[in-house]
Amino acid sequence: NLFSVSSRIKRYDKAVAKASQIGIPVSELDDLAGLRIVVGTLVEIPIVTRFLTRQEISKDLKIIKNHQIDRKSGYRATH
């Protein structure tokens, strides 16, 4: 069960500023876009991950981080 899907794209001026700050071309930035998918259970996380990383749809998608976050507050995430 997907509860929500949201995305963000870094504004061009922010991308240029960040690239300039770290001394690389904009084309080498690895965080130009992000996707947040909220699921109902922990069991669904690997299912969504497999879907997103299937070769036929992921030619331009690169998973940069993949680690679990589990806080005392109850917040859980995979980044």
Side-chain angles (χ1 to χ4, degrees):
N1 296 328
L2 294 180
F3 286 114
S4 69
V5 178
S6 59
S7 61
R8 67 120 182 114
I9 298 176
K10 189 178 294 269
R11 289 188 357 217
Y12 182 74
D13 59 321
K14 299 286 185 182
V16 169
K18 182 174 183 178
S20 176
Q21 180 183 13
I22 59 178
I24 63 171
V26 172
S27 61
E28 291 183 19
L29 287 175
D30 60 10
D31 67 341
L32 293 175
L35 182 65
R36 175 182 296 227
I37 301 172
V38 179
V39 296
T41 67
L42 295 176
V43 173
E44 294 166 301
I45 295 171
I47 295 167
V48 172
T49 301
R50 279 193 309 272
F51 173 77
L52 291 173
T53 56
R54 288 191 340 215
Q55 188 61 36
E56 60 268 16
I57 65 166
S58 65
K59 293 176 182 151
D60 295 322
L61 176 69
K62 179 172 42 170
I63 305 296
I64 296 171
K65 293 187 267 181
N66 188 10
H67 66 274
Q68 297 289 119
I69 298 173
D70 192 0
R71 297 189 180 145
K72 291 179 185 178
S73 66
Y75 175 82
R76 292 183 183 163
T78 299
H79 287 238

